[in-house]
Amino acid sequence: MLDQNILKQVREIFASLKSKITFKATVDTNDEKKQELKTFLNDFASTSDQLSVEYTEQAGANLHFTLYKGDIATGISFRGIPNGHEFTSLLLAVLNADGQGKNFPDETIQQRIKALKGKITLRTYVSLTCTNCPDVVQALNLMTLINPNISHEMVDGGLFQKEVAEHNIQGVPAVYLGEDAIHIGRGDLGMLLQKLEDKVGSEEDYSVEPIEREYDTLIIGGGPAGTAAAIYTARKGLKVAVIAERIGGQVNDTTSIQNLISVPETSGTLLAADLKKHLNTYDIDLFEHRKITDVQLKDVQKEIVVKGGEVFKAPAVVIATGAAWRNLGVKNEAKYIGHGIHFCQHCDGPFYKGKNVAVIGGGNSGMEAAIDLAGICNHVTVFEFGDTLRADNVLQEKAHNIINIDIYTNAQTTEVLGDGSKLTALKVKDRITEEEKEYAFDGVFVQIGLAANSNPFKDQLELTPRHEIKVDEFCRTNIHGVYAAGDVTNVPYKQIVIAMGEGAKAALSAFDDRLRGIIG
């Protein structure tokens, strides 16, 4: 039964529903979860006269329901009971089907979704405790509403464990196109759309003219650095656009933030939402879910080309593309990502309840992961490449006091071992004795920092050996009119508060160069 306070909130949200939405549910007569689903759907449907439920009992049927708008199936289904974090996915599915959703992508992205080829049948295996799963479920539900040739089903992996085992799923969210796994782990609409385009292809519409957009300044990236740069630029009265894969960037994947000055504690998703809210208080054009395909920075008028053919032009560009999780770069790693190799303990940790796991990395992220995993796993082993841990003392002390955590320093992971379908062990070398040993594990969580997202600019901008964009103290690069800020640069200490300051500095430098006639 849904909590009465939650039902009250849902009634308020659904007060303006205009469409008849029906949940058509199918259950097995003997399914022990049958009554729980009925109670859940009946409670949910009680929040609006526009909502109703129809049940069909069928021997051997999976526990699931599909959303209908009027008499037409939306293509959105839920296999299981969408409680936990997936409750929001159901809520948004109703609002979006009714046409009231606020999270629809802009017309350019919708055209790309509509252009996907053929019938596309998708399903996403989730854990109801996974904080990243709803982003994927909600993105694919949106695509389903935009393109009638797409259908999408959320599957609660906790209820359908046999199916999870048959597919050897060891990480969520796990997205399948038919019987092919196409995505595992964190994701957003732009990333998933790109993967579908690569997999099924797109029908090119030759009647659509390429869109060109001109601005005074372009900000590439929507994380803390990009947001600060955009706000400072807009405050100077300049015409500015933010081109980003997602607003918030890497912040979206951070669980708890306790070192943003004046904000004692927040979460990554909340901070990302606050960044977007702040951007929207200014005259800033936001272009999300954009994937850069080409850049031309050396001319006076810079050009940024994104997937779908849009061309953005400006005399000043601030690059704030941030960084992504760094891989180990060892043999067999790529083969076992999602099948024993993971990057998020919150999403995939529950799959290893009572099992033995490793955490690679002794920084704050590594220690936080080890502490979290120790509460559900049988044993956690931490391997740190350096001779000392890099985490804050408070985290080190906490980890050392947990009896089922072992910590090794001077430990270099050299190879991932597996049986062909899943990881079984790690090969680790002691950097002092040079002795190499095999350690058996059920899962491994990689927490070794970030790699700069500088690849689109590598042929035109000067980079460091770590592939970071080189900037001076004013955030200027080696090309006039091109600036960079945040984690993508060689500025030390990859911190949110530092990225924000660097973004502001880059915007002020660009404005100063404009005043002095260095750029147009």
Side-chain angles (χ1 to χ4, degrees):
M1 180 178 292
L2 289 171
D3 181 84
Q4 288 303 312
N5 289 328
I6 292 176
L7 290 175
K8 181 181 178 181
Q9 293 174 37
V10 175
R11 285 191 190 96
E12 293 172 357
I13 293 170
F14 287 165
S16 59
L17 284 182
K18 299 178 179 65
S19 307
K20 291 287 186 183
I21 305 292
T22 304
F23 307 121
K24 295 193 176 184
T26 303
V27 296
D28 184 345
T29 306
N30 300 315
D31 194 328
E32 62 182 18
K33 288 282 186 178
K34 175 184 72 173
Q35 191 54 49
E36 186 179 340
L37 177 66
K38 284 189 172 183
T39 302
F40 174 87
L41 288 178
N42 289 341
D43 284 351
F44 193 85
S46 72
T47 59
S48 172
D49 292 338
Q50 298 288 63
L51 302 178
S52 61
V53 191
E54 295 179 7
Y55 297 101
T56 300
E57 294 200 11
Q58 181 180 329
N62 284 322
L63 189 82
H64 83 281
F65 63 94
T66 300
L67 272 69
Y68 278 70
K69 181 178 180 180
D71 296 325
I72 300 173
T74 63
I76 297 173
S77 299
F78 293 85
R79 183 140 52 99
I81 304 169
N83 269 315
H85 292 293
E86 292 304 334
F87 187 78
T88 303
S89 297
L90 176 59
L91 199 70
L92 282 174
V94 173
L95 289 173
N96 287 332
D98 189 51
Q100 294 193 57
K102 307 288 187 187
N103 58 337
F104 271 89
D106 59 60
E107 186 60 33
T108 299
I109 301 301
Q110 290 194 40
Q111 287 299 330
R112 285 174 59 190
I113 294 169
K114 292 174 183 176
L116 290 168
K117 288 182 179 178
K119 287 284 185 183
I120 300 170
T121 303
L122 300 165
R123 67 186 184 282
T124 302
Y125 293 90
V126 306
S127 165
L128 298 183
T129 61
C130 168
T131 56
N132 289 323
C133 290
D135 291 338
V136 170
V137 170
Q138 291 161 25
L140 295 176
N141 284 347
L142 273 178
M143 290 191 201
T144 299
L145 293 172
I146 292 167
N147 184 337
N149 290 319
I150 299 175
S151 64
H152 175 243
E153 179 182 53
M154 182 222 81
V155 183
D156 179 1
L159 285 184
F160 296 93
Q161 293 183 11
K162 182 180 178 183
E163 196 170 321
V164 167
E166 288 172 351
H167 287 91
N168 194 31
I169 296 171
Q170 293 182 304
V172 290
V175 181
Y176 280 72
L177 172 62
E179 294 305 308
D180 296 331
I182 62 167
H183 177 83
I184 296 176
R186 300 180 186 90
D188 57 25
L189 189 145
M191 180 190 299
L192 295 163
L193 176 55
Q194 181 67 54
K195 288 190 174 184
L196 285 172
E197 288 172 331
D198 293 342
K199 189 73 174 178
V200 305
S202 300
E203 299 284 358
E204 193 164 354
D205 188 348
Y206 295 100
S207 66
V208 177
E209 291 290 327
I211 299 173
E212 290 193 1
R213 308 182 191 273
E214 292 196 15
Y215 290 88
D216 296 320
T217 304
L218 297 174
I219 313 296
I220 308 176
T227 298
I231 289 170
Y232 267 72
T233 301
R235 287 174 63 86
K236 296 297 184 182
L238 299 175
K239 186 181 180 185
V240 58
V242 174
I243 306 163
E245 293 190 20
R246 57 177 176 169
I247 300 301
Q250 193 72 22
V251 160
N252 287 280
D253 304 323
T254 304
T255 305
S256 178
I257 300 167
Q258 300 176 3
N259 56 356
L260 183 58
I261 310 307
S262 85
V263 182
E265 184 172 5
T266 186
S267 67
T269 52
L270 181 57
L271 178 56
D274 287 342
L275 292 176
K276 189 169 187 176
K277 182 179 179 180
H278 200 170
L279 285 167
N280 285 328
T281 63
Y282 289 91
D283 187 15
I284 298 170
D285 290 344
L286 302 184
F287 297 93
E288 291 187 77
H289 312 304
R290 265 46 178 198
K291 181 76 172 179
I292 294 174
T293 58
D294 191 32
V295 298
Q296 177 50 255
L297 302 176
K298 294 182 179 179
D299 295 336
V300 173
Q301 187 79 335
K302 323 299 181 187
E303 289 190 4
I304 307 296
V305 183
V306 301
K307 183 79 175 180
E310 281 177 292
V311 180
F312 295 86
K313 298 180 178 181
V317 172
V318 177
I319 299 169
T321 45
W325 293 109
R326 189 184 299 277
N327 290 351
L328 290 168
V330 299
K331 184 178 179 181
N332 291 327
E333 178 187 20
K335 181 178 182 179
Y336 293 110
I337 288 177
H339 300 283
I341 293 282
H342 306 282
F343 299 89
C344 177
Q345 77 273 13
H346 303 290
C347 300
D348 303 325
F351 285 92
Y352 296 92
K353 184 178 181 179
K355 297 184 178 181
N356 299 322
V357 301
V359 172
I360 302 177
N364 285 346
S365 296
M367 285 299 100
E368 288 172 357
I371 292 165
D372 287 345
L373 291 166
I376 56 176
C377 297
N378 177 59
H379 194 272
V380 180
T381 303
V382 178
F383 294 112
E384 162 58 34
F385 182 86
D387 56 3
T388 60
L389 298 177
R390 295 169 289 108
D392 294 341
N393 286 336
V394 64
L395 292 173
Q396 291 190 42
E397 290 172 6
K398 188 171 183 179
H400 281 300
N401 288 327
I402 298 175
I403 60 173
N404 63 333
I405 296 179
D406 284 338
I407 299 172
Y408 295 89
T409 56
N410 288 304
Q412 179 182 359
T413 305
T414 57
E415 187 177 347
V416 174
L417 304 175
D419 62 8
S421 63
K422 65 181 184 300
L423 172 145
T424 57
L426 287 180
K427 193 175 285 187
V428 181
K429 182 175 71 174
D430 185 312
R431 295 177 55 241
I432 295 176
T433 66
E434 296 293 316
E435 180 185 3
E436 200 167 45
K437 290 176 60 178
E438 288 185 14
Y439 295 83
F441 294 111
D442 299 295
V444 173
F445 293 81
V446 181
Q447 299 285 321
I448 57 173
L450 303 169
N453 292 324
S454 60
N455 197 56
F457 319 103
K458 64 182 180 180
D459 295 330
Q460 298 181 56
L461 294 179
E462 187 178 356
L463 306 181
T464 70
R466 291 171 59 86
H467 305 290
E468 297 167 330
I469 298 175
K470 275 191 176 182
V471 293
D472 64 13
E473 64 269 31
F474 295 95
C475 295
R476 298 184 179 107
T477 70
N478 60 301
I479 297 178
H480 286 311
V482 180
Y483 312 82
D487 289 3
V488 74
T489 74
N490 61 327
V491 169
Y493 310 119
K494 312 305 183 185
Q495 298 290 308
I496 292 170
V497 69
I498 292 174
M500 288 178 171
E502 291 294 304
K505 189 200 297 183
L508 292 172
S509 295
F511 182 72
D512 188 50
D513 287 349
R514 177 183 292 273
L515 289 180
R516 295 191 294 133
I518 295 175
I519 59 175

